[in-house]
Amino acid sequence: MQESHSRLDGSEAIVVARSETDRPDPTEITRLAEAAGFAVADAVTQRRREDPGTWIGRGKAEALAERARDLGVDVVVFDGGLDPGQYADLVDLLPDGVEPVDRYRLVLDVFADGTGDERAALQVEAARLSYVLPRLRRITKVSQLSKAVEKGNPILDVEARIDRIENQLADIAERAAERRESRRASGLGLVAIAGYTNAGKTTLLHRLADDLSLADADAEHADLTDSTPIEDRLFVTLETITRQGTLDDLDVAYTDTVGFVDALPHDLVESFSATIDEAASADVTLLVVDATDDPERLREKVSTSVDAMGDTEGPVVGVLNKVDAVDGQTASAERRDTLAEFVDDVVAVSALEGTGVERLEERVREALPTETATLSLPNDGDGHRLLSWLHDHASVDAVEYGSTVTVRLSARPSVVERARARVADLG
Ligand SMILES: Nc1nc2c(ncn2[C@@H]2O[C@H](COP(=O)(O)OP(=O)(O)OP(=O)(O)O)[C@@H](O)[C@H]2O)c(=O)[nH]1
Ligand SMILES: [Mg+2]
């Protein structure tokens, strides 16, 4: 695997989009290539099913090789995943020194060159190695080994490195979970901001959070920083960032996350696990959606995001953002309805102009667990079952076992009410 063509070096690229059913549209892959630092010199499209050898049809691939030679580009970027066989075939077919790069590799490059935290860096390294491994095995067979290998047994080395990194990652994820718990215990409501890249998550963070970050920006809170850049580019935010805000009387920790992107392989989705952990374990998760996407695209993105987040602890509020840039009420209403199919509640906002943000804050406030209660349960099977229900639905702060079980908890008012009713039922 050549390491030379990476982000921000201004290498020239041809992008290739292919679709079996629709007219292939190279817009998104072009943006992704640009985010990875490539200058896009040309776009080639083909409407056809995937070719098992060369991804696009053989004839088209040969014409592409010709074009790459004429333009003198450094890489050809494919809007999809190339399996190791396709990668090897395309290396053979393209002019010497022109590397095929697929969607996954592109995203890895963006993250590899970003200034992520320790976790982000390790995740990228693990994902990169998992990506390299099967391709290394493949080109081992096609006599390109000398290009790819440094010293020793590359495959065993890579496997050992992946193992080591995965252990380190587990430790770091545990520390992040502890940090969340300590914030929760100190009474902060946890709000995660998730969604596709470029949806406006960081812009919304600026709206919701106070200007200053949490005061205790030490090693325990390595995810705190003042700089949260906003740009009309993919993957501007490369690590989760937490800032404090207040809602009425309540202190809230807002966590901005790394955006989702289409069609990632499983190991790379793993590299977004910090986003997913934050989204899944927050008291409220805001799923930010770009209202300027067309309705079909919006549906795909929402569905992918909801799948990626899995079961969330708290409710998910859909935030239809950028409504200032959408023409007409009908267009907004249609997108709103689509979003509503997937989430618990929808609020339309313009994070840029601030419209709708107050309504969003009200929703968040209602959804946060704010009422505290101390309950006394029988110390028997029924009581223990109720305790486990409380663990699922409330934030349990302390449990004492005696002749009865005393539970201190905080939860949404409606949950506290239900809990009291269930205690009463047990007599
Ligand atoms: N018109 C309009 N543009 C917006 C709005 N919110 C954000 N944007 C623009 O959308 C672009 C992306 O905004 P960000 O806040 O960086 O988006 P993000 O979701 O954090 O993106 P990544 O960090 O790259 O995943 C920027 O150019 C913003 O100015 C909005 O309400 N209206
Ligand atoms: Mg951002």
Side-chain angles (χ1 to χ4, degrees):
M1 206 87 348
Q2 299 162 42
E3 295 289 333
S4 53
H5 303 305
S6 69
R7 192 185 191 210
L8 303 179
D9 66 0
S11 296
E12 299 238 326
I14 297 178
V15 298
V16 184
R18 184 188 55 75
S19 170
E20 188 170 347
T21 47
D22 310 314
R23 202 157 53 85
D25 180 357
T27 313
E28 291 206 1
I29 192 65
T30 299
R31 295 205 70 193
L32 205 50
E34 286 167 355
F38 292 114
V40 176
D42 197 11
V44 169
T45 62
Q46 188 175 38
R47 184 163 174 172
R48 178 194 200 279
R49 68 182 155 66
E50 178 170 344
D51 186 282
T54 47
W55 197 74
I56 47 174
R58 180 84 200 177
K60 191 81 172 179
E62 279 161 6
L64 171 68
E66 211 42 58
R67 186 83 183 131
R69 198 186 329 273
D70 290 350
L71 289 175
V73 299
D74 307 284
V75 303
V76 176
V77 174
F78 293 84
D79 189 12
L82 301 174
D83 68 29
Q86 289 168 327
Y87 177 82
D89 280 4
L90 287 163
V91 167
D92 280 349
L93 192 74
L94 291 170
D96 272 355
V98 178
E99 193 185 5
V101 170
D102 67 9
R103 208 177 164 105
Y104 313 150
R105 178 66 195 278
L106 213 51
V107 176
L108 288 173
D109 279 352
V110 175
F111 281 83
D113 280 17
T115 50
D117 60 9
E118 185 191 4
R119 182 177 187 182
L122 284 170
Q123 283 169 332
V124 170
E125 176 72 355
R128 239 168 122 85
L129 292 173
S130 309
Y131 177 92
V132 167
L133 193 57
R135 287 162 184 76
L136 207 59
R137 289 206 169 100
R138 177 64 190 222
I139 55 178
T140 301
K141 291 183 199 137
V142 285
S143 80
Q144 294 221 348
L145 194 58
S146 57
K147 268 195 202 170
V149 180
E150 303 118 272
K151 292 188 199 85
N153 181 328
I155 289 171
L156 284 180
D157 283 355
V158 169
E159 281 171 347
R161 267 159 79 194
I162 292 176
D163 274 355
R164 248 195 332 271
I165 290 171
E166 278 175 355
N167 287 334
Q168 284 169 281
L169 278 174
D171 290 346
I172 294 174
E174 209 168 293
R175 288 209 296 276
E178 282 165 9
R179 206 153 54 211
R180 275 196 300 273
E181 280 322 307
S182 93
R183 283 180 185 147
R184 215 195 286 276
S186 64
L188 284 174
L190 305 187
V191 177
I193 305 174
Y196 260 62
T197 178
N198 205 52
K201 300 178 297 299
T202 304
T203 309
L204 185 64
L205 174 78
H206 283 241
R207 278 278 164 206
L208 295 172
D210 299 339
D211 282 341
L212 293 172
S213 54
L214 289 173
D216 50 351
D218 52 32
E220 272 301 288
H221 298 274
D223 56 344
L224 301 178
T225 161
D226 260 336
S227 71
T228 46
I230 295 170
E231 262 182 77
D232 191 13
R233 194 165 59 71
L234 303 187
F235 294 120
V236 173
T237 305
L238 293 177
E239 60 190 303
T240 63
I241 284 166
T242 299
R243 289 245 199 126
Q244 191 165 335
T246 39
L247 285 176
D248 306 332
D249 53 325
L250 205 68
D251 290 329
V252 179
Y254 292 100
T255 299
D256 182 18
T257 64
V258 176
F260 295 123
V261 67
D262 269 348
L264 295 172
H266 182 72
D267 47 19
L268 189 49
V269 173
E270 283 296 327
S271 97
F272 288 80
S273 59
T275 288
I276 292 163
D277 287 355
E278 293 293 344
S281 54
D283 296 316
V284 183
T285 302
L286 305 183
L287 176 57
V288 184
V289 171
D290 186 338
T292 65
D293 280 332
D294 70 58
E296 265 321 297
R297 184 70 189 118
L298 185 140
R299 172 182 293 279
E300 281 168 18
K301 287 184 175 179
V302 173
S303 158
T304 304
S305 308
V306 167
D307 282 351
M309 293 191 301
D311 280 337
T312 57
E313 218 163 271
V316 178
V317 176
V319 180
L320 186 66
N321 186 34
K322 309 195 190 181
V323 287
D324 59 279
V326 178
D327 279 341
Q329 295 281 316
T330 346
S332 284
E334 184 185 0
R335 287 163 176 80
R336 214 188 147 103
D337 290 346
T338 305
L339 184 52
E341 289 173 36
F342 293 88
V343 298
D344 300 302
D345 201 357
V346 179
V347 182
V349 306
S350 165
L352 196 63
E353 297 179 348
T355 43
V357 171
E358 249 177 62
R359 206 158 357 118
L360 177 62
E361 287 179 329
E362 279 165 29
R363 287 285 194 289
V364 171
R365 180 73 180 80
E366 286 161 16
L368 284 174
T370 53
E371 193 169 320
T372 55
T374 303
L375 303 176
S376 180
L377 319 177
N379 195 347
D380 61 13
D382 283 343
H384 297 166
R385 265 189 294 284
L386 180 49
L387 179 59
S388 95
W389 183 86
L390 290 173
H391 274 290
D392 286 345
H393 292 85
S395 161
V396 173
D397 300 323
V399 184
E400 274 168 44
Y401 292 90
S403 54
T404 61
V405 183
T406 308
V407 188
R408 223 160 15 88
L409 56 83
S410 52
R412 282 178 280 287
S414 62
V415 171
V416 172
E417 199 177 306
R418 273 162 72 198
R420 286 194 199 285
R422 292 187 62 160
V423 172
D425 282 349
L426 294 182

